[in-house]
Amino acid sequence: GHIVRNWKVRWFVLLQDKLLYYKIEGGKKEPSPKGRIFLDGCTITCPCLEYENRPLLIKLTTKTNTDYFLECCSREERDSWALDITGAIHAGHPVQVQELHRMKKSFKLLENISLHHIVERMCDSSAGIKLTRNLEQGNRYKETFTGSALVDWLISNSFAVSRFEAVTLASMLMEENFIKPVGARSIEATRYSDLSEQFLDDSTALYMFAESSKKNTSSKEELQFNISELSGTIVKQGFLVKQGHKRKNWKVRRFVLRADPAFLHYYDPTKEENRPVGGFSLRGCLVSALEDNGVPAGVKGNVQGNLFKIITKNDIHYYIQASSKAERAQWIEAIKPLT
């Protein structure tokens, strides 16, 4: 409410240029709207984190700088309303609407992403993620945050566009030991080896900062790469999930495909320096898609779908997961001519 700052249930109707809201009496909406929000010139904030105990808010700011706070019943409903309202705001610009839907469905993380930078922002006393005490099955945990709260924070701080991207980022933070699960709900999820299932976008799953996130990570022996193999023309690059050779766990890596000479390098997104952590020549390699039914031989963990394999001429096997069948096909088509 604008005069009395209380919260009331209203029935909303979204039109092309405005959002109407009605009072509910006896389980039915009244015939005339109680109010209207004109969408021309509006800006939308979703998720809106201004109210710590209300994580399901949408904030609408009109061109006259009037703020409306709308609370939904679930995150799915909130995101659906936000997408449709944004579409109505840009109704006169169909290209912007198409771009919005494409971004929401795409898997495209920032290429210059730094997990160190994200953690620094998360720890900021004013704009960082809110740490609270949480109770789970009789156990009390200090300075924790929920999985869904982290996803909301990543989106609101423009580190991710969609919840899918935010979950991928959160999984990277957990995989690199910046955050850790606490409590039975989130720890149980880590038993899955599939990266996409380890972090839970859930208000009952608890996480906290790992001790290692407050310290400098121990430096590993840097791999040496010939300057010539990094001088080729970049043909394709993007984020993929790769199975490790030793621990057989799955980590997000930024892959860069080069031609003349033909090499595939992969980078650790958590590192500030732009140096590959691995790579190999594509000459004599074999690349192929793996079946989506069941777990293929050589793959550890419950990882299914959109997998492909590269076998080097030295018989080293690389197992890689794309975000979709289309992306997998694009990578295979780009690699094959260079082998």
Side-chain angles (χ1 to χ4, degrees), residues 15-67:
L15 303 180
Q16 185 173 1
D17 60 342
K18 55 184 168 289
L19 189 62
L20 306 178
Y21 52 94
Y22 299 77
K23 288 182 67 175
I24 302 290
E25 293 291 345
K28 296 181 179 179
K29 74 179 180 71
E30 292 188 341
S32 300
K34 175 72 175 176
R36 54 181 55 81
I37 305 170
F38 291 100
L39 298 177
D40 180 43
C42 265
T43 58
I44 184 170
T45 304
C46 179
C48 170
L49 305 182
E50 292 188 26
Y51 289 82
E52 187 175 337
N53 62 338
R54 294 183 181 273
L56 303 179
L57 290 183
I58 296 171
K59 177 183 177 181
L60 283 176
T61 303
T62 68
K63 63 180 179 181
T64 57
N65 290 321
T66 302
D67 290 335

Side-chain angles (χ1 to χ4, degrees), residues 114-124 173 178 209 213:
S114 166
L115 296 190
H116 292 281
H117 175 60
I118 293 176
V119 173
E120 286 178 4
R121 289 279 298 276
M122 287 176 65
C123 294
D124 186 275
L173 290 170
F178 286 105
F209 288 111
S213 66

